[in-house]
Amino acid sequence: MTADIALLGIDHVRFFVSNARQTAYFYRNAFGFDIIAYAGLETGSTLEAGYILKQGGITFQLVSPLRASHPQSQRLLTHGDGVQDIAFAVQNVPETYSAILSNGGIGVQPPMVQEDEFGTLETAVIQTYGDTTHTLIDRSRYNGVFAPGYLTIDPERYSPRTFHSAGFTGVDHIVANVELGEMNKWVRFYNEVFGFQQLVSFDDKDISTEYTSLMSKVVQNGNGRIKFPINEPSEGRKRSQIEEYLEFYHGAGVQHIALSTDNILETVHALRHNDVSFLRVPPTYYDDLLQRVGNIEEDINEIASLGILVDRDDEGYLLQIFTQPVEDRPTLFFEVIQRHGSKSFGKGNFKALFEAIEREQQKRGTL
Ligand code: FE2
């Protein structure tokens, strides 16, 4: 019998990167995040530097080791920059942690209380796919900017904004790539250990191109705030984008983070202005778009000129677009998504999308 797990939502996403200072600059100037807190030598953090970025309901923590003796420093050679942890807000860390362990979860860090003048912050850490973890975090007794060790950043450190604000409101979903044959294992893991329900599944007939295919299942927590699609490659004539990811990330990990917006046209305009590069679908994608998806509120010419994808299901429609990988390795990228009623994941766009990715793989010589 699965013990009940109550997760409130995603508290923050922790990225382990080689140069947090410069990564913070990128997410500020390209994606429009505010840098609100810092930890490092100046604040008494001798092992790692950290930056806390916020936008809407999204919190990113960017961390870099300051010394080779940092216990995670090897990650950078193995994985490159990437997502280390997706933290869940919970009401009671010890209870949630022991329920997860009794459901078969593996603990990385037992419940621990950190204190400073702003209160107490309680956390614990659970292992998931690859070298990725889930922190459980209870902020109810903590009033500081992020966590003990972090101080509000001096606004004078950054010049006034010259870039465009992106208008992101929250994390819609976070996608995992796992090894061939491992998808069902991780769906079972989220089901049995965290009590997630399976939402939808796509098989290789749904998601295939002439050369490659993949399979995907989506799991979601009880209140619907946490959605994790899980992809695995399937046999194809050429190497799929999932295999390319697994090779360069050196194992399972986070493939993309979908950030929601209430105005995708403004968001994509701003990101383009800020030099964010997106995947392009061929102009023919728009030829019969209105026949496929019916009427939409947005101007179809503007949708087409920005390269935004549209998909409809029984409940409404959604607009989405995908960035190029944000790092040198073809691993992590972002999705921008605006939902008009639709709760799905753009199945109708998969083919156009994966063909677009394959064109990029071709350029990289990794197809
Ligand atoms: Fe997505």
Side-chain angles (χ1 to χ4, degrees), residues 247-275:
E247 180 187 334
F248 283 91
Y249 194 72
H250 205 77
V254 169
Q255 178 210 39
H256 75 265
I257 301 176
L259 301 177
S260 45
T261 169
D262 294 331
N263 189 333
I264 198 167
L265 296 176
E266 279 181 14
T267 299
V268 176
H269 269 301
L271 296 183
R272 282 200 183 288
H273 177 271
N274 299 343
D275 278 342

Side-chain angles (χ1 to χ4, degrees), residues 173 175 183-184 187 198-208 213-219 228-234 311 313 318 320 343-350 354:
H173 59 272
V175 181
M183 174 182 67
N184 285 325
V187 169
Q198 190 184 320
L199 218 55
V200 277
S201 78
F202 307 102
D203 64 19
D204 41 4
K205 282 173 268 323
D206 294 321
I207 317 178
S208 67
S213 57
L214 67 88
M215 299 199 283
S216 186
K217 288 184 175 174
V218 183
V219 293
F228 292 157
I230 301 171
N231 299 332
E232 72 167 53
S234 61
D311 197 26
D313 62 18
L318 64 81
Q320 59 185 169
K343 296 194 190 77
S344 67
F345 292 85
K347 177 178 161 182
N349 291 324
F350 282 162
F354 294 138

Side-chain angles (χ1 to χ4, degrees), residues 81-257:
D81 292 4
V83 172
Q84 178 185 10
D85 186 279
I86 302 163
F88 299 140
V90 301
Q91 245 151 14
N92 186 315
V93 170
E95 274 179 21
T96 312
Y97 183 78
S98 66
I100 286 169
L101 261 49
S102 77
N103 288 343
I106 294 169
V108 176
Q109 176 218 296
M112 181 180 89
V113 174
Q114 290 170 276
E115 271 185 78
D116 66 8
E117 69 262 46
F118 302 108
T120 53
L121 185 74
E122 192 159 22
T123 59
V125 183
I126 308 289
Q127 188 65 47
T128 182
Y129 48 83
D131 281 337
T132 318
T133 54
H134 290 305
T135 293
L136 311 172
I137 186 162
D138 168 14
R139 297 193 171 280
S140 62
R141 288 162 290 148
Y142 191 71
N143 293 316
V145 62
F146 179 72
Y150 280 84
L151 294 179
T152 305
I153 208 155
D154 178 5
E156 295 302 312
R157 179 162 177 169
Y158 292 102
S159 56
R161 287 172 183 276
T162 53
F163 55 88
H164 289 203
S165 167
F168 287 121
T169 56
V171 173
D172 187 272
H173 59 272
I174 300 181
V175 181
N177 281 343
V178 300
E179 294 90 346
L180 184 68
E182 296 279 277
M183 174 182 67
N184 285 325
K185 174 185 136 182
W186 289 106
V187 169
R188 249 192 335 272
F189 169 83
Y190 279 104
N191 177 246
E192 289 170 5
V193 174
F194 284 97
F196 284 27
Q197 297 298 313
Q198 190 184 320
L199 218 55
V200 277
S201 78
F202 307 102
D203 64 19
D204 41 4
K205 282 173 268 323
D206 294 321
I207 317 178
S208 67
T209 68
E210 188 188 345
Y211 300 120
T212 69
S213 57
L214 67 88
M215 299 199 283
S216 186
K217 288 184 175 174
V218 183
V219 293
Q220 165 176 294
N221 80 318
N223 67 12
R225 292 197 186 139
I226 307 169
K227 293 190 193 77
F228 292 157
I230 301 171
N231 299 332
E232 72 167 53
S234 61
E235 307 288 352
R237 286 169 54 204
K238 293 195 178 181
R239 183 162 56 167
S240 75
Q241 50 157 316
I242 311 299
E243 290 166 281
E244 183 195 37
Y245 175 99
L246 294 169
E247 180 187 334
F248 283 91
Y249 194 72
H250 205 77
V254 169
Q255 178 210 39
H256 75 265
I257 301 176

